[in-house]
Every structure is written in structure tokens, then in C-alpha cells.
């Protein structure tokens, strides 16, 4: 009988499932349920519910549960034998939280296969909607938590990130402040990534250090709840949180609901869930310290694996637990594709013209010019007052194409140094990774080879690989992560771009000039 592993990614707009067969190193199936299109009764747009206040963004947790029924109905209807699934692991959009009453454990334990999940879970929600990562309505609570814990750097040292509006702790605090009665009715608080496994296993599931680190509640060095952070957040919080357990922990066998309704094997294991970014780390094969991915999407993100826990003194980026055991970082740069497009459009070019302009200019522009491409407010470094700053460059200058990409890569190099890990190789993903000239600048500035990854569902794949890994561990077999991901998380053949020694030297020389220009600009705007 085939041995399949299932990864489920409950993300903002959809639920994605990937079934893998590790023996064949094959993806057996990949399917998505789009929330807006397939569950219109929940009234979401792009998977979320908006309020009059634009900073408030929630989603209906029952929709996430209903999507599970939809997904398994579909896989069954296609003739996939879910009896082959040995283990299932979940990836969830990070930070979002689900609030359950004291009846939840009993209801979860006795789900009736004659009825759908949403209908049965509705009575155990103490809060009908879930604040998600797009919610930014908790600035006051962030300030209160930060003050109680001794400042932003202290919060970052303690929990891996400064207090952020979307993080779960500030969200819980706001809930307690604004609806103390509903908070009092709440006996269990779950993350998206622990709510789905709780349903699958029929019991309240632990939280893993990958997603637990996105709460401002976990001690990043011990990977356990931090009593002072809990205290600073809301009263009696400890008894409302599940334990934190390593990412490969088996929560239990799948609940009989799924056995009877969809034909899962009663021995199928449910593994602890994790956040979508920690799962993507695995899905992109970043299983050793020094392996880094740069995603060139709407924003650019830099994320990588590191063995030791290091936190930025300046609150740059986030540190999460890695599902492989150590740590990972995630640093977001807002002016990514947006800034590249602005330059391209200002010069009236298409992407070919943009690439040609890069090819025809020397590394570091021969020392001639610099730009700070802050078209929009920037996250890293923190720039609240946007504005592009040029030195030795005019707006219509074709050299702007190289200058903008160099600035982006140099900012990444400087603002990720606190990790103390020099990238040994970079996996490039996202729309702009199709551009070889951009990848060459990336390789030269970071002084390491770059490989392109085409990924549509790295979080779901990462979850499936986590399920496989957890089953190997549970069976007492040595589970080497490089071996787990082999054949699944592979770069596009022939996509390797190597750094050129001469260019690497030019960028070493450029770094202090760029850093000084950036510092001056930050000082001028009072950042
Ligand atoms: P998202 O963050 O929305 O998922 P994607 O990863 O899909 O974004 O990337 C989309 C972006 O990729 C577009 O906004 C575009 O700027 C960029 N892009 C696409 N092709 C190229 C190219 N050849 N060169 C540079 N950028 C490109
Ligand atoms: C990470 C974050 C997002 C969500 C999206 O901190 O907020 O990447 O995880 O799903």
C-alpha cells in the first residue's frame, strides 16, 4: 500500500492540500479551496472581513473548518484514497487567533460524521471572528506591552520580535480590554495553525515554536511561554494557552469523524501545526544554517535558517523557531517589486529594457551613484516618511535600473548582518526571480551562489514534508532533514548564478558608502 503524507496550508485566501509520496519522491496531488469563490456564505473578500475601521481585519474561523470538509470531499470525489495517508501536518497563516469556550474539548472529541464541521463547532466559539495578520488595530496594546516589558529591544530579546500590531499577544490584550465578558468565556486560545490540528485530532492541539514565536508571548530562547509576557498581555492567560511542543510532535491519531466521513485510516497521525513562513522554510529546502531564501514579490522578504538564537538589537525582522529545530529569521522590505516597477516605468522601459540597462552598467556603478528607493514607507530600515533619495544620479538616468536593485540587495546585506550567518547559498523565488540580471546582482552583493526556485505552494509542501519527518521520528528512524526534502525542494535546473569575484570586491567597497548615505537620510527624517 502506498504511504502518503498530507500537508494542509490554511492561508489568507485559500486552503491548499499537497499529498506526497516520499518513496517515489512525487507530489501525488495538489488542490486548493478558494474561500471567496467556494464558501461565499461567509461573505469574505480575499478571504477576510473588513470593518468600518480600516485597521481591523478579521476572518471567520468556521470558514476555515468548512474548507476542510470541502477539501476532503473533493479529494474523495477524485478517487484519492485517503486511507493511504500516514500523517498530516498543517501550515497556517501566522498570528491569527481562534477563541473557544470550555465546551470545546468535549465537542472536538465527539464530532458527528453525519454533520459538517462548521455547524458543530459554531457553539464553541467565544468570539465569532478571528483577528488575522492583516489587522493593525492594536498600536495602543503594543505600546502597553512594550512599556510593561521594558522597551522594544527588551521585547525583541525576550520574544524574538518587538511588539507588532498583528502579533497574537497584542490582539489578545485588545480582546480582553474591549470585550472582557467574552474573554472570560474563553477557555482556550488557538492559532490558525493549532485550530486546524485540534479539529483533525479531536482534541486541543499544542502550538509549535515556529508559530508560537509570532505571538510576543513565547520566550524565544527556551521556546516556552514567557510568564512576564503573559502577565503584560492579559489576566489568566496561561490557563487559556495550550502547551508549546516541538514541531514534530504527534498530537494523536486522526479523529473518527475523518475516518468515517472520508475514509482516513484510524492510525493516521496528526502532527503539530506551524506557521506558513516556518513551513515555507522547509518547503524551500532551507534545512541548514546559512541557507537563505529571498522572495522577490510585491515586497521582498529575506528568510533563512540559523542554528543559534540571535535577535536584532534594532528590532529588525523576526526570529521564529524553525520546524527543523533551530531558528529562522524573516525580514521584510516593503519597496520590492513596487520600487523596481516605478523605476522601469519612469524610464519607459519593459523588463527586457530594464535588464539590458543592468547589463550595460558596471557593478556599484563604478562608484558613481546611489539611490535609497523608499517610494513607499519602508519596513527595513524603518522609514515612515517616504521619499526617494539619489546621489550622483538623475531621475531619467538609465543607471537607475542597476542602482535600485543594488540598493535593495545592499539593504538586505546590511540589515540581516545581525543574524551572524553569512549566506552560503540563496534560493530566489517570487515574480522577479525570473530576471537573471537581478539574480546576478543578488549573487554579487551577497557573495554566494543563487538558485531559482519555482514555488507556488511552498508552505503546503513544507507541511507535507513535516508530516513525513514526524512519522519517521515517531517510527524511531533517524530523520535527516536533507534527506527528507531531497527530490522535493529542488532548484530549477540550470538556474545557478555564481558571484563574480570582481563584482564582489566592488560591492565590498560600496557597502560603507551606502550605509553612510542611508544613515544620513534616516537622521534627516528623524527615524
Ligand atoms: P506577490 O507578492 O503578489 O505574490 P509575485 O511573486 O507574483 O508577487 O511577483 C510579482 C512581481 O514580479 C510583479 O509585480 C513584477 O514586478 C515582478 N516581475 C515579473 N516579471 C519580472 C521580470 N522579468 N523582471 C523583474 N520583475 C518581474
Ligand atoms: C508573517 C506574516 C505573514 C502571514 C501571511 O509575519 O504576517 O507572512 O504569515 O500568511
Amino acid at each position: 500500500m502506498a504511504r502518503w503524507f498530507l500537508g494542509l496550508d490554511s492561508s489568507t485566501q485559500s486552503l491548499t492540500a499537497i499529498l506526497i509520496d516520499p518513496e517515489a519522491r512525487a507530489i501525488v496531488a495538489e488542490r486548493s479551496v478558494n474561500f471567496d469563490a467556494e464558501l461565499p456564505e461567509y461573505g469574505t473578500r480575499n478571504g477576510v472581513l473588513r470593518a468600518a475601521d480600516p485597521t481591523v481585519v478579521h476572518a471567520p474561523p468556521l470558514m476555515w473548518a468548512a474548507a476542510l470538509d470541502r477539501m476532503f470531499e473533493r479529494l474523495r470525489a477524485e478517487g484519492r484514497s485517503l486511507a493511504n495517508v500516514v500523517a498530516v501536518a498543517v501550515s497556517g497563516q501566522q498570528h491569527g487567533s481562534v477563541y473557544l469556550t470550555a465546551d470545546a474539548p468535549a465537542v472536538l472529541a465527539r464530532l458527528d460524521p453525519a454533520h459538517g464541521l462548521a455547524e458543530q463547532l459554531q457553539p464553541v466559539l467565544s468570539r465569532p471572528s478571528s483577528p488575522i495578520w492583516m489587522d493593525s488595530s492594536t498600536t495602543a496594546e503594543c505600546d502597553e506591552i512594550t512599556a510593561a516589558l521594558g522597551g522594544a529591544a527588551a521585547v525583541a530579546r525576550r520574544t524574538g520580535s518587538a511588539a507588532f500590531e498583528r502579533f497574537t499577544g497584542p490582539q489578545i490584550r485588545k480582546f480582553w480590554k474591549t470585550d472582557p465578558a467574552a474573554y472570560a468565556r474563553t477557555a482556550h486560545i488557538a492559532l490558525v495553525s493549532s485550530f486546524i490540528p485540534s479539529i483533525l485530532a479531536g482534541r486541543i492541539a499544542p502550538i509549535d515554536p515556529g508559530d508560537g514565536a509570532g505571538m510576543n508571548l513565547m520566550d524565544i530562547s527556551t521556546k516556552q511561554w514567557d510568564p512576564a509576557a503573559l502577565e503584560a498581555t492579559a489576566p489568566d492567560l496561561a490557563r487559556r494557552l495550550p502547551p508549546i511542543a516541538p514541531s514534530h510532535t504527534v498530537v494523536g491519531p486522526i479523529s473518527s469523524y475523518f475516518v468515517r466521513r472520508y475514509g482516513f485510516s484510524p492510525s493516521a497521525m496528526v502532527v503539530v501545526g506551524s506557521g506558513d513562513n516556518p513551513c515555507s522554510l522547509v518547503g524551500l529546502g532551507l534545512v541548514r544554517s546559512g541557507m537563505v531564501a529571498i522572495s522577490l514579490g510585491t515586497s521582498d522578504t529575506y528568510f533563512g535558517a540559523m542554528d543559534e538564537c540571535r535577535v536584532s538589537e534594532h528590532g529588525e525582522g523576526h526570529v521564529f523557531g524553525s520546524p527543523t529545530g533551530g531558528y529562522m529569521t524573516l525580514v521584510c522590505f516593503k519597496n520590492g517589486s513596487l520600487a523596481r516597477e516605478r523605476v522601469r516605468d519612469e524610464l519607459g522601459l519593459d523588463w527586457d529594457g530594464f535588464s539590458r540597462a543592468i547589463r550595460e552598467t558596471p557593478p556599484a556603478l563604478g562608484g558613481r551613484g546611489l539611490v535609497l528607493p523608499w517610494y513607499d514607507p519602508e519596513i527595513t530600515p524603518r522609514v515612515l516618511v517616504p521619499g526617494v533619495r539619489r546621489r550622483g544620479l538623475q531621475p531619467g538616468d538609465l543607471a537607475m535600473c542597476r542602482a535600485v536593485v543594488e540598493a535593495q540587495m545592499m539593504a538586505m546585506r546590511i540589515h540581516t548582518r545581525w543574524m551572524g550567518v553569512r549566506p552560503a547559498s540563496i534560493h530566489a523565488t517570487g515574480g522577479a526571480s525570473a530576471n537573471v540580471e537581478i539574480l546576478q546582482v543578488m549573487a554579487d552583493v551577497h557573495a554566494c551562489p543563487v538558485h531559482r526556485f519555482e514555488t507556488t505552494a511552498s508552505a503546503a509542501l513544507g507541511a507535507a514534508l513535516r508530516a513525513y519527518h514526524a512519522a519517521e521520528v515517531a517510527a524511531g528512524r533517524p530523520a535527516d532533514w536533507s534527506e527528507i526534502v531531497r527530490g522535493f525542494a529542488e532548484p530549477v535546473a540550470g538556474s545557478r548564478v555564481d558571484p563574480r569575484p570582481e563584482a564582489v570586491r566592488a560591492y565590498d567597497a560600496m557597502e560603507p558608502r551606502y550605509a553612510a548615505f542611508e544613515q544620513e537620510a534616516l537622521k534627516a527624517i528623524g527615524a
Side-chain angles (χ1 to χ4, degrees), residues 374-405:
W374 299 330
Y375 288 88
D376 257 358
E378 181 50 66
I379 297 173
T380 315
R382 197 169 150 87
V383 177
L384 298 175
V385 186
V388 177
R389 282 143 187 96
R390 299 178 179 82
R391 180 168 284 175
L393 287 166
Q394 301 312 315
D397 202 326
L398 276 177
M400 275 294 289
C401 298
R402 176 176 281 279
V404 67
V405 178

Side-chain angles (χ1 to χ4, degrees), residues 166-199:
R166 67 187 191 286
F167 275 46
T168 321
Q171 292 289 344
I172 293 172
R173 181 169 178 80
K174 181 183 167 198
F175 180 49
W176 164 65
K177 279 168 59 183
T178 52
D179 196 350
Y183 181 77
R185 275 200 312 280
T186 302
H188 305 278
I189 300 177
L191 293 178
V192 179
S193 71
S194 70
F195 177 57
I196 308 287
S198 300
I199 299 171

Side-chain angles (χ1 to χ4, degrees), residues 97-450:
S97 43
V98 183
Y99 299 77
L100 304 168
T101 67
D103 295 334
V107 169
L108 286 169
R110 278 193 293 277
L111 290 170
D112 177 357
H115 299 274
L117 291 170
E119 166 192 348
Q120 298 183 71
L121 292 171
Q122 193 271 329
V124 301
L125 292 179
S126 56
R127 189 181 193 182
S129 67
S130 295
I132 65 154
W133 65 279
M134 294 164 81
D135 188 291
S136 58
S137 65
T138 64
T139 304
E141 289 75 17
C142 288
D143 291 346
E144 289 157 5
I145 292 168
T146 303
L149 293 177
V155 181
R157 265 196 307 276
R158 197 180 267 281
T159 72
S161 297
F164 281 89
E165 280 80 356
R166 67 187 191 286
F167 275 46
T168 321
Q171 292 289 344
I172 293 172
R173 181 169 178 80
K174 181 183 167 198
F175 180 49
W176 164 65
K177 279 168 59 183
T178 52
D179 196 350
Y183 181 77
R185 275 200 312 280
T186 302
H188 305 278
I189 300 177
L191 293 178
V192 179
S193 71
S194 70
F195 177 57
I196 308 287
S198 300
I199 299 171
L200 292 170
R203 60 166 82 172
I204 301 286
I207 284 173
D208 93 315
D211 219 10
M215 301 174 80
N216 286 138
L217 294 174
M218 189 185 86
D219 179 333
I220 193 70
S221 57
T222 63
K223 298 181 177 172
Q224 291 303 320
W225 298 123
D226 181 308
L230 266 55
E231 176 76 33
T233 298
D236 278 332
L237 184 49
R239 67 175 168 88
R240 293 176 164 86
L241 295 171
I244 296 175
S247 312
H248 61 261
T249 308
V250 175
V251 183
I254 199 160
S255 126
S256 67
Y257 175 91
F258 298 95
V259 175
R260 287 155 69 194
R261 197 164 154 123
Y262 301 114
F264 278 91
S265 156
S267 62
M269 292 176 262
V270 178
V271 177
V272 164
S274 190
D276 53 2
N277 293 299
C279 288
S280 281
L281 189 82
V282 173
L284 287 169
L286 307 177
V287 296
R288 277 194 314 278
S289 188
M291 294 181 87
V292 164
I294 294 178
S295 168
L296 302 172
T298 304
S299 303
D300 291 345
T301 47
Y302 179 107
F303 58 108
M306 60 181 184
D307 288 335
E308 282 172 49
C309 179
R310 282 203 198 81
V311 177
S312 157
E313 275 301 309
H314 305 289
E316 285 169 341
H318 308 296
V319 180
F320 300 140
S322 162
T324 61
Y327 290 90
M328 70 170 288
T329 56
L330 178 80
V331 189
C332 191
F333 300 82
K334 183 104 174 271
N335 287 285
S337 280
L338 172 111
R340 293 184 287 272
E341 280 173 25
R342 287 286 285 270
V343 170
R344 184 199 63 178
D345 295 345
E346 279 164 14
L347 296 169
L349 300 170
D350 56 11
W351 286 125
D352 280 345
F354 185 89
S355 302
R356 196 174 326 112
I358 295 181
R359 262 197 316 273
E360 290 172 356
T361 39
L365 294 178
R368 158 163 98 87
L370 296 171
V371 66
L372 300 172
W374 299 330
Y375 288 88
D376 257 358
E378 181 50 66
I379 297 173
T380 315
R382 197 169 150 87
V383 177
L384 298 175
V385 186
V388 177
R389 282 143 187 96
R390 299 178 179 82
R391 180 168 284 175
L393 287 166
Q394 301 312 315
D397 202 326
L398 276 177
M400 275 294 289
C401 298
R402 176 176 281 279
V404 67
V405 178
E406 288 181 339
Q408 293 169 325
M409 295 304 148
M410 196 50 85
M412 283 185 189
R413 168 169 156 157
I414 292 170
H415 298 289
T416 59
R417 184 155 289 140
W418 57 267
M419 289 173 61
V421 186
R422 276 193 76 95
S425 72
I426 295 173
H427 296 183
T429 71
S433 68
N435 189 314
V436 180
E437 276 72 24
I438 293 178
L439 299 194
Q440 185 66 60
V441 177
M442 187 186 283
D444 292 340
V445 173
H446 293 285
C448 71
V450 171

